[in-house]
Amino acid sequence: MIQFVKLLSGSEPRSAGRSNDAVLKVRNDDDFDELFKCLSYKDRMVRMRAADAIEKITLKYPSYLFKHKSDLMDLCCTVKEKRLKGHFALLVPRLNLTANEKEIVWQRLTGWALDREESKRVRINSIQALYEIAEGDNFYIKDFELAIDQVEKENITSLNARIKRLTHHAPL
């Protein structure tokens, strides 16, 4: 069994540690399941690095997340750490969400995107996630447009740049 905790441990918070090594060690569902458990580990560095690795893995293999949908939804509703919020924001659009789950996720992501107290990374990733959800579901397009109008009025360069990139190149 792979020792993800040992691999992802370390004290430097700005370092991804060996999360890229963790990505390379996941070869099947069982490996991914073990890595996913690290999101609940007591050490916040392990949790953040595990989230980083999970985000990278599920870009190519989103199906690994499917059986963890309930856990990921719970984590999104309880997470306090800004860096984890940023990762979770990018993960939830990869799930096969029911209409009710999508509404819960939409409300959470909109809250993060509009919250001026959130980090810019959390807000940018939330805007990205909202865009991805709205792109696949016409029901949310108007809400997305209302949310980004509010964010644009704040005139924050990094947020407006992401909005411009999303809406300029591939309008909904």
Side-chain angles (χ1 to χ4, degrees), residues 123-164:
R123 295 182 76 193
I124 287 168
N125 288 357
S126 296
I127 290 166
Q128 177 71 42
L130 289 169
Y131 175 84
E132 290 173 18
I133 292 170
E135 185 178 44
D137 188 337
N138 291 337
F139 179 78
Y140 290 102
I141 291 174
K142 188 71 171 166
D143 285 345
F144 176 75
E145 290 169 351
L146 291 171
I148 63 170
D149 283 346
Q150 283 184 269
V151 173
E152 283 179 315
K153 288 177 184 171
E154 294 177 45
N155 203 25
I156 298 172
T157 305
S158 57
L159 297 174
N160 286 349
R162 177 58 59 99
I163 291 168
K164 183 177 180 179

Side-chain angles (χ1 to χ4, degrees), residues 28-70:
N28 56 47
D29 281 326
D30 291 336
D31 295 342
F32 185 83
D33 295 347
E34 186 177 339
L35 175 62
F36 194 88
K37 289 177 190 174
C38 292
L39 292 177
S40 300
Y41 193 71
K42 63 184 180 234
D43 181 327
R44 77 181 192 96
M45 290 294 107
V46 170
R47 290 191 306 271
M48 286 189 289
R49 291 174 180 146
D52 181 60
I54 288 167
E55 185 185 324
K56 291 172 182 174
I57 292 164
T58 59
L59 271 173
K60 189 171 183 179
Y61 304 105
S63 63
Y64 281 157
L65 275 178
F66 295 170
K67 73 179 180 181
H68 299 283
K69 178 169 71 168
S70 178

